[in-house]
Amino acid sequence: MTKDIATPARTKEILKKYGFSFKKSLGQNFLIDTNVLHRIVDHAEVGEETGVIEIGPGIGALTEQLAKRAKKVVAFEIDQRLLPILSDTLASCTNVKIIHEDVLKANVRQVIEEEFKDCKEVMVVANLPYYVTTPIIMKLLEDQLPLKGIVVMLQKEVADRIAATASTKEYGSLSIAIQYYTEAKTVMTVPKTVFIPQPNVDSAVIRLLKRDKPAAEMQNEDFFFELMRASFAQRRKTLMNNILQQYPVGKAIKEELEQQLNDAGIDPRRRGESLTIEEFAKASDVLYPLLKTK
Ligand code: SAM
């Protein structure tokens, strides 16, 4: 049996064999620690009935470990130079399919429908390219794909913002946008030394489990997101001042806005960063008639 791809020696051997040079612009930092990979697969709870979507297989370090436990793995890779390498390194993994495509442009729904018909659940598991972590996660969630969840390696600083709770300095529109759809938890922090080349920042693995329905109900989802983003526009300002900045209204409406917020149990002098998702939902319901229909 050949050695795992994710060892420093085997990775260097593969890179040398193909004369591969890393492209920083594609976020290419490959994992060289099998232990870390096993733990990622464990956190994703990948089993015999699981279909896995991987984003950016690189030379196949994570793909190989996923293939051992999953029913099937479909991986999107943007860099054409990696395709011949992958068909070599993953030659014995018969349940892996590589798609040469930018995941941000891909029709992921169609791939799920076509490739995972006989799987019980679908998970996204990846060591993400760091220059596009947020757009990739938001695409997967906003498209309302039939996923069980997402377990991905990303910058620790982004993981902290995603999993943050109200009234912390990391809490913001990203925390809400993602926690609206999922339960988010950082499950591992990872040192720079397990990558080649080493990234400039610390890394973490985050687990996002899709909720059956979004974390709060409101009458107008677009306005909920608009109001929430406006409330974080200037973090040091009060909720009311941020709202007035975004929606300039006269004195009478301003007083009505304050009244409505107070009646909903939300002090307009609070800062946006102290509001939970449910409170933003409540605020959006009471403010919508005043800010959007007048
Ligand atoms: N999975 C491998 C590992 O853990 O060693 C490589 C991870 S590396 C951080 C990110 C990978 O994503 C690279 O192989 C890169 O070429 C690929 N990539 C970058 N942007 C992409 C995109 N938009 N769509 C698909 N793959 C992309």
Side-chain angles (χ1 to χ4, degrees):
M1 232 177 82
T2 47
K3 279 189 280 118
D4 284 332
I5 298 168
T7 61
R10 176 105 198 276
T11 297
K12 280 180 194 151
E13 184 189 305
I14 295 167
L15 298 175
K16 192 164 165 226
K17 179 173 171 190
Y18 288 91
F20 184 81
S21 53
F22 292 99
K23 267 197 191 155
K24 217 176 161 193
S25 61
L26 290 178
Q28 292 177 336
N29 302 95
F30 296 171
L31 277 165
I32 47 163
D33 187 320
T34 321
N35 234 335
V36 169
L37 291 168
H38 287 161
R39 286 171 62 205
I40 295 174
V41 183
D42 285 345
H43 282 298
E45 295 181 357
V46 172
E48 294 172 342
E49 305 289 322
T50 315
V52 176
I53 295 180
E54 189 192 353
I55 294 150
I59 58 170
L62 175 58
T63 328
E64 171 186 62
Q65 303 301 332
L66 289 166
K68 285 185 197 164
R69 294 218 228 151
K71 188 169 186 85
K72 185 170 187 184
V73 182
V74 175
F76 291 94
E77 176 55 62
I78 199 171
D79 188 349
Q80 186 162 18
R81 299 173 307 152
L82 289 165
L83 303 189
I85 306 184
L86 285 164
S87 41
D88 176 6
T89 58
L90 300 176
S92 62
C93 303
T94 50
N95 58 344
V96 172
K97 177 170 178 173
I98 307 290
I99 300 181
H100 174 221
E101 200 174 5
D102 176 346
V103 72
L104 290 173
K105 297 189 181 141
N107 185 341
V108 182
R109 179 180 301 279
Q110 194 182 342
V111 169
I112 293 175
E113 280 165 10
E114 286 174 6
E115 303 290 344
F116 298 122
K117 277 194 199 83
D118 50 357
C119 294
K120 219 173 79 193
E121 58 189 27
V122 180
M123 287 292 291
V124 173
V125 187
N127 169 19
L128 289 178
Y130 289 0
Y131 74 106
V132 274
T133 43
T134 312
I136 291 176
I137 296 174
M138 289 319 298
K139 172 185 161 116
L140 297 170
L141 296 177
E142 285 174 349
D143 286 358
Q144 306 270 2
L145 302 172
L147 298 173
K148 180 181 170 209
I150 300 174
V151 173
V152 282
M153 174 94 74
L154 34 59
Q155 308 90 310
K156 182 175 179 302
E157 175 262 327
V158 179
D160 289 344
R161 286 199 282 130
I162 289 175
T165 49
S167 299
T168 60
K169 79 173 188 320
E170 290 83 13
Y171 186 66
S173 49
L174 184 66
S175 330
I176 295 180
I178 291 184
Q179 291 178 37
Y180 179 65
Y181 299 107
T182 69
E183 284 183 54
K185 189 168 184 235
T186 299
V187 289
M188 276 166 75
T189 52
V190 182
K192 293 173 188 165
T193 47
V194 301
F195 299 91
I196 175 172
Q198 293 189 14
N200 297 327
V201 294
D202 289 328
S203 300
V205 174
I206 198 156
R207 183 175 63 209
L208 308 172
L209 288 180
K210 282 273 295 288
R211 298 178 189 274
D212 293 335
K213 54 185 176 62
E217 281 180 36
M218 70 287 305
Q219 279 160 27
N220 188 310
E221 199 179 64
D222 289 342
F223 180 65
F224 160 80
F225 282 111
E226 186 182 299
L227 179 76
M228 182 270 285
R229 293 207 168 91
S231 307
F232 284 108
Q234 286 187 274
R235 293 186 73 98
R236 301 185 62 80
K237 279 192 175 180
T238 64
L239 176 64
M240 196 62 208
N241 282 339
N242 268 324
I243 292 174
L244 292 174
Q245 185 79 32
Q246 171 76 15
Y247 310 96
V249 291
K251 190 161 173 275
I253 302 268
K254 174 180 177 255
E255 281 169 7
E256 226 178 308
L257 291 172
E258 284 174 336
Q259 184 67 48
Q260 288 291 341
L261 283 172
N262 276 317
D263 289 353
I266 301 164
D267 186 334
R269 292 167 302 181
R270 283 168 61 182
R271 286 187 185 163
E273 68 194 33
S274 76
L275 268 67
T276 61
I277 296 184
E278 290 78 9
E279 286 177 315
F280 273 117
K282 241 195 244 178
S284 78
D285 277 351
V286 298
L287 300 187
Y288 184 79
L290 291 164
L291 295 175
K292 285 291 179 177
T293 53
K294 290 208 171 166

